[in-house]
Amino acid sequence: MVIEIQLTDLPIAMNASASPQRGSHGALVEFQGVVRGEENGRPISALDYEAYPEMAVREMRRLLEAMATRHPCLGARVIHRTGIVPVGETAIYVGITARHRAEGFALLAEFMDRFKQEVPIWKRRALPARAMEAGGQPGAPAPTGRQGANQGARSLDEAMREIGSHCQPLPAVRLPLAQAFGRVLRETVGAATDLPPFDCSTRDGYAILADDEATEFQVVDTLPAAGWRPRQLQSGEAVRVATGAPLPCGGLRVVMQEDAERKDNHLRITRREAASNIRLRGEEVKAGQPLVRANTVVTAGAAALLATAGCAHPLVSPRLRISHFTMGDEVVSPDQSPAPGQIRDSNSTLVRGLLRRFPCDLEQEHLPEDFAGAWARLDLDRLAAADVVLVSGGASVGDKDFTRPLLERLGFDIVFSQVNIRPGRPLIFGVSGARVAFGLPGNPLAHYVCFHFAVATALARLTGDKVPEFLRGRLAERLDDPPCPRETLWPARLEFSGGVLRLQPLAWASSGDVTCFGRANALVRKPANGGPLEAGMEVDFLPATGMLCG
Ligand code: AMP
Ligand code: MG
């Protein structure tokens, strides 16, 4: 079958029906899809179509060829408009030539049925009825969104800044303290009372007047930690107190049990310390002072402090909903034996592990490596609810790299698709309202790097956490690397070397390397075009996700 496919941003010419197989066919079956004047019940003036051209043409050809085995026809011509198509104009033309009408009708009907589902051409937006009257020109470039975005490669700093500025903290939730670990506190919690809330003993012992010089005492009361009985002590009187017990009055000191001998209610002090062994009310924090500040991760210690402050239901970041897809027909699960040419999937485990720092509901799925197959597999409702969509692999420009059109078809506006770093140049970042998506290069080391500077920045912003920042540290060893036109994020291990924390650069040769994962906990920033970095030199580094909290 002769197949002709064309995408055009000009009106479809009326002679489009000229048959590719003139003479031998007995039937020409034509269809034109025309833009209607309403969309979802609202009057519109035009539809704006967007396509991923090479892939759309490839998918249409694949569909037609597959169908022609069931409905043998002679020729097929498809022309689809892109850009703005005014109401009443043809958005798609399909002409099928066949020996007889039956197979022509069948092919046309099946093609149109599957076209919508499987070809990456979609209605980007509907222009309301006023828009065209206000001067929108058919075929004119859309003023916003993908076409309007600056599509150039970003520097590392630009990428981190842009990701940060596109992501806003998601609405916070109030949760029982036990469920708050690892979340980001979204309110500053202050001390409701002084801490400690009362003067109390730090020892098991005996409370006496601070200036009482006597050595013999009468034990007049016993106070456990839980009991408080006010009482003004006199010289020569002692009160038995437990550690943490509130003291019966002011102006006291506590003599340790080990420094006294007791017989019945008679007490003799054998040694006097200078220390009072008392924690004074409010000596740690006064009522109203901040205890745990907003935008800090609820670590074990922070949670314990919240518990102390009586904050049993802190306001914290919501659990993130993250959908992660892997791609690549060569990738098999870790429990499978790879056939020649196959490799085991390490990215799913890597992503799951890196996400442990961020409380989230994570869905992971492997997608087939063709656009239509992948699209058919997606649970669109579930995806619509995802705060973050991650796609591993297929982010570059290879024949099977369709992460970008997939994300676009899902409604994400692509902000950038390349970052000038090594490893990890083909990194896609897209946004759709409050939702974000990343297309991560499949190479495992590139994956690791992109997660740390890009995904972690987005997750930090969405949860209200501090965004990842470069710290300063010294190299334990020379980082021997010739100049590279791109900045490098070099895997390293922050560890003790000669008794001080130093960054040990790890060996790697390609972004496909995996061996340095076992030890990496930092990424050293090596400037573009710079030569080797010497041992002892101060460098910028990004600590591994979660390293500095919890
Ligand atoms: P891609 O980004 O799809 O061009 O893939 C780049 C390289 O990463 C290829 O060698 C893939 O085999 C490899 N790769 C892709 N996905 C994974 C994965 N889930 N685990 C390990 N390697 C992968
Ligand atoms: Mg691939």
Side-chain angles (χ1 to χ4, degrees):
M1 184 168 70
V2 178
I3 297 176
E4 289 179 25
I5 298 171
Q6 193 191 343
L7 296 181
T8 175
D9 51 12
L10 299 172
I12 294 174
M14 288 328 279
N15 68 352
S17 61
S19 158
Q21 288 285 288
R22 185 169 291 277
S24 49
H25 66 269
L28 165 61
V29 183
E30 289 184 307
F31 168 78
Q32 292 188 41
V34 178
V35 176
R36 251 194 320 265
E38 57 96 18
E39 175 88 344
N40 300 327
R42 295 224 182 94
I44 62 165
S45 57
L47 285 174
D48 183 3
Y49 284 93
E50 177 139 21
Y52 204 75
E54 277 172 34
M55 201 161 288
V57 170
R58 207 164 53 230
E59 283 300 317
M60 285 192 261
R61 181 174 292 279
R62 192 184 60 77
L63 275 179
L64 288 165
E65 280 169 353
M67 290 172 193
T69 58
R70 289 188 298 282
H71 315 296
C73 293
L74 298 171
R77 167 175 288 164
V78 183
I79 308 173
H80 203 296
R81 287 277 298 268
T82 53
I84 294 174
V85 185
V87 166
E89 289 193 14
T90 299
I92 181 172
Y93 164 85
V94 184
I96 308 289
T97 50
R99 280 186 209 291
H100 308 285
R101 69 179 186 281
E103 54 265 31
F105 280 129
L107 184 76
L108 178 65
E110 192 176 333
F111 177 75
M112 288 314 302
D113 282 347
R114 293 183 58 183
F115 176 88
K116 261 197 170 171
Q117 280 304 309
E118 303 185 26
V119 178
I121 300 179
W122 60 96
K123 295 176 203 166
R124 193 163 86 90
R125 57 181 181 156
L127 279 74
R130 290 182 324 279
M132 292 295 287
E133 292 153 23
Q137 289 301 307
T144 57
R146 283 171 283 266
Q147 286 100 329
N150 167 13
Q151 292 287 299
R154 302 301 201 259
S155 71
L156 178 57
D157 286 329
E158 283 169 347
M160 290 176 78
R161 238 190 341 265
E162 266 177 276
I163 293 167
S165 68
H166 275 96
C167 302
Q168 298 302 324
L170 296 169
V173 291
R174 215 168 261 293
L175 282 184
L177 192 48
Q179 291 171 31
F181 292 108
R183 313 253 190 156
V184 178
L185 188 67
R186 297 280 287 276
E187 59 183 348
T188 294
V189 175
T193 60
D194 291 343
L195 288 179
F198 41 77
D199 295 352
C200 59
S201 173
T202 63
R203 306 282 182 193
D204 290 315
Y206 297 92
I208 59 172
L209 288 177
D211 54 0
D212 199 336
E213 296 297 328
T215 49
E216 307 287 323
F217 290 83
Q218 184 73 20
V219 179
V220 294
D221 201 357
T222 297
L223 293 180
W228 184 61
R229 263 190 302 277
R231 172 184 195 124
Q232 186 57 53
L233 286 196
Q234 307 300 321
S235 176
E237 286 183 345
V239 169
R240 171 80 174 130
V241 288
T243 300
L247 297 173
C249 62
L252 301 182
R253 66 192 300 179
V254 173
V255 177
M256 282 164 60
Q257 181 173 321
E258 295 85 334
D259 294 340
E261 289 170 2
R262 179 172 178 179
K263 196 157 188 301
D264 299 326
N265 279 342
H266 182 255
L267 187 78
R268 198 167 70 83
I269 290 179
T270 55
R271 193 175 82 94
R272 272 172 201 275
E273 283 185 289
S276 72
N277 296 325
I278 289 172
R279 290 177 75 215
L280 292 174
R281 172 181 177 156
E283 75 174 23
E284 208 184 341
V285 176
K286 295 270 183 282
Q289 283 183 339
L291 274 185
V292 193
R293 295 195 184 266
N295 308 322
T296 52
V297 175
V298 181
T299 59
L305 197 45
L306 293 173
T308 305
C311 181
H313 288 83
L315 189 69
V316 293
S317 54
R319 216 172 154 77
L320 293 171
R321 290 161 300 185
I322 302 182
S323 288
H324 176 217
F325 300 100
T326 48
M327 301 240 210
D329 288 346
E330 77 281 21
V331 176
V332 299
S333 74
D335 57 0
Q336 278 180 269
S337 297
Q342 293 185 320
I343 53 162
R344 290 200 177 94
D345 170 16
S346 60
N347 288 340
S348 298
T349 304
L350 181 69
V351 166
R352 185 171 283 277
L354 291 170
L355 286 175
R356 277 163 56 101
R357 153 68 197 86
F358 303 91
C360 63
D361 295 317
L362 173 65
E363 308 264 6
Q364 290 188 302
E365 192 173 350
H366 189 67
L367 294 180
E369 204 166 17
D370 67 285
F371 187 90
W375 184 258
R377 186 76 69 78
L378 298 179
D379 178 340
L380 295 179
D381 290 337
R382 208 174 63 202
L383 263 175
D387 303 308
V388 180
V389 176
L390 303 175
V391 184
S392 296
S396 194
V397 292
D399 288 346
K400 295 200 155 190
D401 290 345
F402 56 82
T403 295
R404 181 181 174 137
L406 195 72
L407 293 178
E408 288 182 317
R409 179 102 181 242
L410 284 169
F412 288 95
D413 282 330
I414 303 305
V415 180
F416 59 75
S417 55
Q418 281 188 346
V419 182
N420 266 326
I421 56 150
R422 172 183 70 139
R425 185 179 161 89
L427 170 71
I428 302 171
F429 172 55
V431 294
S432 168
R435 307 162 62 233
V436 294
F438 290 94
L440 301 158
N443 273 313
L445 196 52
H447 220 70
Y448 183 84
V449 166
C450 289
F451 186 96
H452 277 92
F453 81 84
V455 180
T457 297
L459 301 183
R461 284 287 292 154
L462 293 172
T463 53
D465 198 358
K466 292 178 202 70
V467 293
E469 276 183 353
F470 285 92
L471 307 177
R472 298 288 283 169
R474 286 189 192 280
L475 287 178
E477 256 180 34
R478 177 180 155 95
L479 195 168
D480 207 358
D481 181 49
C484 169
R486 285 183 269 158
E487 271 193 278
T488 307
L489 285 176
W490 192 285
R493 180 167 181 84
L494 187 64
E495 64 181 10
F496 282 101
S497 160
V500 289
L501 271 176
R502 289 282 160 97
L503 290 152
Q504 177 75 47
L506 302 172
W508 66 284
S510 136
S511 59
D513 283 14
V514 287
T515 48
C516 59
F517 280 167
R519 303 188 63 222
N521 63 7
L523 294 166
V524 168
R525 184 175 196 167
K526 180 172 177 278
N529 303 313
L533 304 177
E534 299 303 330
M537 208 170 144
E538 206 173 279
V539 290
D540 284 344
F541 75 98
L542 208 52
T545 295
M547 209 178 135
L548 293 184
C549 64

